[in-house]
Amino acid sequence: MANAEREQWSTSFGFVAAAVGSAVGLGNMWRFSYLTAEKGGAAFVGLYLIFTLLVGLPILLAEMTIGRGASRSPVLALEHYGGRSWRLLGVLFVLTGFLILSYYSVIAGWTLRYAGELLWHGVPLNPGDHFSQVSQGWPAFLFHVSFMALTMAIVAGGVKRGIERVSVIAMPVLFVFVCGLALYAATLSGSEAGYAYYLNANFTNALSMDVVVSAAGQSFFSLSLGMGAMLTFASYLSRQSDLPREAIRIAAADFGVAFVAGLMVFPIVFALGVEGDVSESTLGALFVALPEAFSSMGLVGRFVGVIFFVALIVGALTSAISLLEVVVSAAVDGWAWSRGRAVIVAGGLITLIGSFAAWDLALLDAMDQVANNILLLLGALLLSVFVGWVMKNAETELAQGAGRLNWVGVWRFLLRWWVPIVLLFVLFHSVPKTLSNVRNLVFGLD
Ligand code: PFF
């Protein structure tokens, strides 16, 4: 039910901070840098930007329009505009939230551990060995549990007192940290090679379908699209809010942080000669290469390292909150559960599923690929069909609070034709490839 006592953000900055908090996370720093390294540098970044503008932004507006219009969590919001059968799409969103948060929290757990270790003991002697020891098994499990406990505590506080209060402080801190690190990286001698690698596009590399699929998946993951997170956050907005303005702010901040994170990671990695570790990229590249770089910078490196990992923790936490909120809001609205009960049950289950990823890196990698290269793309495809073809008055709902918009027709057209066609094309390539990768990863056929 859309009800009078449903919580709302206290200010429009509160909403933007929370939505940017959802978007900016491990995806912008860890995943963006390792994919950029793996997929050939600047050309990948260019494609990622194009996807964000031409596919991500229309979908972001679509999620926000449904969420604010219905003032309900995803399952009920889709039913409200589309009838009972569209509930299934909401269920897909919730399941995707479960899957992503369960492995996301394991990686976030690594960042918690690294920040603590750098602070108390300094950089490990052999970062490669260290990573293999702590990224799986009991150490990974314990930090995963701690990170989930932190996330659950914030979500239990509710929209205003939990999520918004944390985001309005955390996001400015993260921006200052990331910009400070990028400025510091510019002072290192030898950093030019890093900029050259990051900023000089070689488009022959970008033309492979593999790179296109990764750029598409990354733009959805990074903007938290295709699983109802932005829909859920927008459901706590008032009807006066200006959706296009907020959407542009969110997308700009999200791309900005990823881009600036690259301006920090690549110069540092090249200046200290550890680029080999990154270009053979795996999930752990950043957790090996950067500590190696930090260790050759002495005490300064330790300080820079702490700032870097704290920024990662902050980003991961505000994103994890939004993932959990999708699941929690569905249980609160759909089954009339109390928030506390929903947090404990959903958080507990996610912690449990995540423990499998904590014990097996290959499984973690497989979960990440399925979520990004299949589920988010599929969710976004169905969502664009929904808003493009099924939802009535989508244009009016979007324009509510924003004044006259003369481009809404273009937006609807993009959702009807362009976005579904692009996503079908991408899915056509990504599904068989991802399934075969997953088979290799999980059954060790590689
Ligand atoms: N956008 C987050 C990141 O870049 O780290 C990850 C994420 C959060 C994905 C919320 C999906 C989501 F619903």
Side-chain angles (χ1 to χ4, degrees), residues 171-183:
M171 281 302 106
V173 170
L174 185 142
F175 278 108
V176 171
F177 278 15
V178 175
C179 292
L181 289 170
L183 288 177

Side-chain angles (χ1 to χ4, degrees), residues 148-355:
M148 277 305 298
L150 213 57
T151 308
M152 287 162 67
I154 298 172
V155 174
V159 174
K160 261 196 224 131
R161 284 187 322 121
I163 303 177
E164 181 171 347
R165 209 162 53 175
V166 169
S167 308
V168 293
I169 300 171
M171 281 302 106
V173 170
L174 185 142
F175 278 108
V176 171
F177 278 15
V178 175
C179 292
L181 289 170
L183 288 177
Y184 168 73
T187 65
L188 297 172
S189 72
S191 55
E192 306 77 27
Y195 293 115
Y197 177 79
Y198 182 44
L199 303 173
N200 287 341
N202 170 0
F203 279 98
T204 44
N205 277 349
L207 291 179
S208 89
M209 265 324 286
D210 176 46
V211 179
V212 173
V213 169
S214 306
Q218 174 63 9
S219 75
F220 285 103
F221 182 79
S222 186
L223 269 177
S224 305
L225 297 177
M227 53 146 291
M230 293 300 182
L231 189 163
T232 305
F233 273 9
S235 75
Y236 304 119
L237 272 174
S238 86
R239 300 196 53 73
Q240 280 74 48
S241 48
D242 181 339
L243 297 185
R245 188 188 63 191
E246 314 296 33
I248 288 173
R249 288 183 178 161
I250 296 165
D254 184 48
F255 181 79
V257 172
F259 188 73
V260 176
L263 288 178
M264 155 190 69
V265 169
F266 292 102
I268 292 188
V269 159
F270 275 80
L272 291 134
V274 291
E275 63 273 18
D277 290 332
V278 180
S279 55
E280 290 161 23
S281 179
T282 59
L283 289 176
L286 218 58
F287 291 87
V288 177
L290 283 178
E292 239 155 47
F294 297 148
S295 75
S296 38
M297 296 176 194
L299 207 57
V300 179
R302 188 162 161 189
F303 178 72
V304 171
V306 171
I307 301 277
F308 174 76
F309 283 108
V310 168
L312 269 180
I313 295 172
V314 169
L317 192 61
T318 49
S319 298
I321 292 171
S322 72
L323 285 157
L324 185 57
E325 180 63 21
V326 171
V327 183
V328 165
S329 74
V332 169
D333 285 4
W335 296 330
W337 282 15
S338 72
R339 179 167 275 274
R341 177 174 176 198
V343 166
I344 291 174
V345 175
L349 274 173
I350 291 170
T351 309
L352 192 71
I353 303 173
S355 48

Side-chain angles (χ1 to χ4, degrees), residues 16-103:
V16 173
V20 170
S22 168
V24 171
L26 295 174
N28 301 59
M29 292 178 257
W30 158 78
R31 205 167 186 280
F32 173 77
S33 334
Y34 108 75
L35 277 178
T36 303
E38 186 179 277
K39 309 293 173 192
F44 170 79
V45 182
L47 269 179
Y48 159 65
L49 178 60
I50 293 172
F51 265 106
T52 300
L53 291 176
L54 293 182
V55 186
L57 208 49
I59 296 272
L60 175 58
L61 283 170
E63 285 207 20
M64 291 169 74
T65 305
I66 303 175
R68 189 193 56 181
S71 294
R72 293 161 167 89
S73 64
V75 181
L76 295 184
L78 289 162
E79 179 178 12
H80 172 72
Y81 283 117
R84 270 191 84 79
S85 46
W86 281 96
R87 285 173 73 112
L88 280 180
L89 178 57
V91 174
L92 174 72
F93 287 167
V94 173
L95 293 178
T96 309
F98 259 93
L99 180 73
I100 297 186
L101 183 52
S102 61
Y103 75 82

Side-chain angles (χ1 to χ4, degrees), residues 359-383:
W359 251 279
D360 185 351
L361 258 188
L363 182 65
L364 190 158
D365 196 351
M367 287 159 91
D368 183 56
Q369 295 202 24
V370 170
N372 286 285
N373 299 346
I374 301 182
L375 296 177
L376 293 184
L377 298 176
L378 183 67
L381 168 68
L382 296 172
L383 202 85

